[in-house]
Amino acid sequence: MITETQRTERRRFIGSSDIAALFTGPDGKSLDPFKTAADVWATKVFDFDESTASPSMKTGIRWEPYIIGWAAEQLGVEVETDPDRLRFVCELHPLFASNLDGYAVINGEHVIIEAKKTRMAAEWGEPGTDQIPYRVILQVHVQMLCTGWDHAYVAAMIQGEECLYEVTRDERIIAAIIRRGEEFWNENVYPKVPPADCEPADLDILKRIRRIPETYADIDTELVTAWETAKANRLEAEKAETTAFAEVLMAVGDAEGVMLPDGREFTYFKQRGADKVDMKRLKTEWPDVYAAISKPNEYRVARIRTVN
């Protein structure tokens, strides 16, 4: 795990976890299925409110020590995992920085150890090879760029099975990373210009931008109009869905389902959800408990209003 200081410093650099999002495949989509170039751009340009790790990130963090330990056993080495010793900034290209999961010394050579946990088995090839996802290839090459080292082992827990892969430095990949990273920084991050012709940023990321009170942006207002129109269309569609659903239930009467001509069936069964808590009663009858478990719930709401 990286420290909070290291997390803050990430804004100043392109990190190994950023790089795959800056590259696209033949379909024009990010090589990182979890974020886009626009996501990376936003995290470099703006300050953000605190966020919590996603469930998948929390799972990876929990499993990382075990995976690193397993790799150490397979390689017969001690692995350095002290966060203060895992931070590297490239000397020749200081735009790039990396926080390693670990490293070891094998036959007098420093070797990167990267840990992964995934259920996406189809992306991974035969253990012992370098047949790993492109995004991981790019990630460990940023790590090799920053450390100056030539080899990396990727220890992966794939659907519950431990696998070990080996990646050797490829200068062509290093050159492509430097070229793309510097282009992105100079054309997008430094002038604060969003990357064009890429997938949109994750809405959850954009919502977390720390906003400056009582400020207004100068943008193409057609963007606001397009959002207003899309919202109106959504509300109209939801209204039509509600009406259609009411007509279905009226026709079904007191039955629980309907057989459809194509062999499918429509059902309206009971389903057990999460238990509900009577918050009003809890606050009234057990105020100390309510105070202990409650926390402020502030959020922003997008509206269009008339200015007097």
Side-chain angles (χ1 to χ4, degrees):
M1 294 176 61
I2 66 173
T3 66
E4 191 58 36
T5 299
Q6 291 169 340
R7 193 184 310 278
T8 301
E9 284 188 348
R10 281 185 165 183
R11 276 192 61 183
R12 300 167 47 210
F13 305 96
I14 294 177
S16 57
S17 61
D18 298 323
I19 195 64
L22 306 187
F23 287 85
T24 58
D27 58 0
K29 293 185 177 180
S30 166
L31 290 185
D32 189 331
F34 308 108
K35 58 184 174 183
T36 70
D39 294 332
V40 176
W41 175 81
T43 61
K44 305 303 177 187
V45 170
F46 301 109
D47 290 324
F48 281 81
D49 292 329
E50 290 185 14
S51 66
T52 56
S54 67
S56 60
M57 290 174 61
K58 290 179 180 177
T59 298
I61 291 170
R62 285 197 301 268
W63 277 93
E64 184 177 302
Y66 170 82
I67 298 171
I68 291 291
W70 174 83
E73 290 180 3
Q74 297 301 302
L75 296 170
V77 295
E78 292 290 331
V79 177
E80 177 62 68
T81 57
D82 181 351
D84 292 332
R85 304 189 66 181
L86 300 178
R87 174 72 170 176
F88 293 86
V89 177
C90 181
E91 293 184 1
L92 293 177
H93 302 276
L95 171 61
F96 298 91
S98 183
N99 294 292
L100 309 184
D101 290 338
Y103 68 81
V105 178
I106 301 177
N107 298 324
E109 178 186 7
H110 282 81
V111 177
I112 295 163
I113 310 293
E114 175 68 21
K116 296 293 180 188
K117 186 178 187 303
T118 180
R119 294 182 177 276
M120 302 166 71
E123 295 184 315
W124 299 77
E126 196 68 27
T129 70
D130 62 357
Q131 298 171 8
I132 61 179
Y134 288 130
R135 67 178 180 277
V136 184
I137 289 282
L138 289 166
Q139 180 178 10
V140 296
H141 270 81
V142 171
Q143 295 169 351
M144 287 188 273
L145 169 64
C146 294
T147 59
W149 303 340
D150 295 329
H151 291 92
Y153 282 98
V154 179
M157 173 77 76
I158 306 173
Q159 293 186 342
E161 181 179 353
E162 301 97 336
C163 300
L164 192 64
Y165 299 85
E166 184 175 3
V167 180
T168 301
R169 184 183 182 112
D170 186 325
E171 292 299 338
R172 296 169 299 177
I173 298 177
I174 294 289
I177 287 171
I178 295 171
R179 184 170 57 250
R180 178 67 184 107
E182 292 181 345
E183 173 189 68
F184 172 72
W185 202 269
N186 293 331
E187 296 183 4
N188 301 116
V189 177
Y190 182 71
K192 296 187 177 181
V193 176
D197 301 324
C198 77
E199 300 164 272
D202 186 335
L203 185 58
D204 288 337
I205 289 179
L206 299 179
K207 284 181 176 180
R208 286 178 37 234
I209 294 174
R210 188 170 296 147
R211 304 187 182 277
I212 303 171
E214 300 181 11
T215 60
Y216 288 81
D218 183 12
I219 69 170
D220 180 358
T221 55
E222 286 299 319
L223 295 172
V224 178
T225 302
W227 167 75
E228 184 180 25
T229 301
K231 180 181 179 181
N233 290 340
R234 173 179 61 82
L235 295 175
E236 190 65 27
E238 289 177 354
K239 181 179 179 180
E241 179 193 9
T242 299
T243 299
F245 186 44
E247 291 177 352
V248 169
L249 293 185
M250 183 178 293
V252 168
D254 58 4
E256 279 198 320
V258 177
M259 293 301 301
L260 303 177
D262 59 5
R264 296 179 299 151
E265 62 179 16
F266 165 84
T267 61
Y268 193 48
F269 296 148
K270 283 186 177 180
Q271 182 171 310
R272 178 66 187 266
D275 293 338
K276 293 185 177 181
V277 177
D278 187 337
M279 299 302 294
K280 184 176 181 180
R281 182 182 175 192
L282 177 64
K283 185 176 182 179
T284 301
E285 299 185 18
W286 296 280
D288 293 342
V289 174
Y290 179 86
I293 65 174
S294 63
K295 59 182 180 180
N297 181 26
E298 295 182 342
Y299 54 92
R300 293 183 179 272
V301 178
R303 294 191 181 98
I304 293 179
R305 62 182 184 178
T306 300
V307 180
N308 294 329

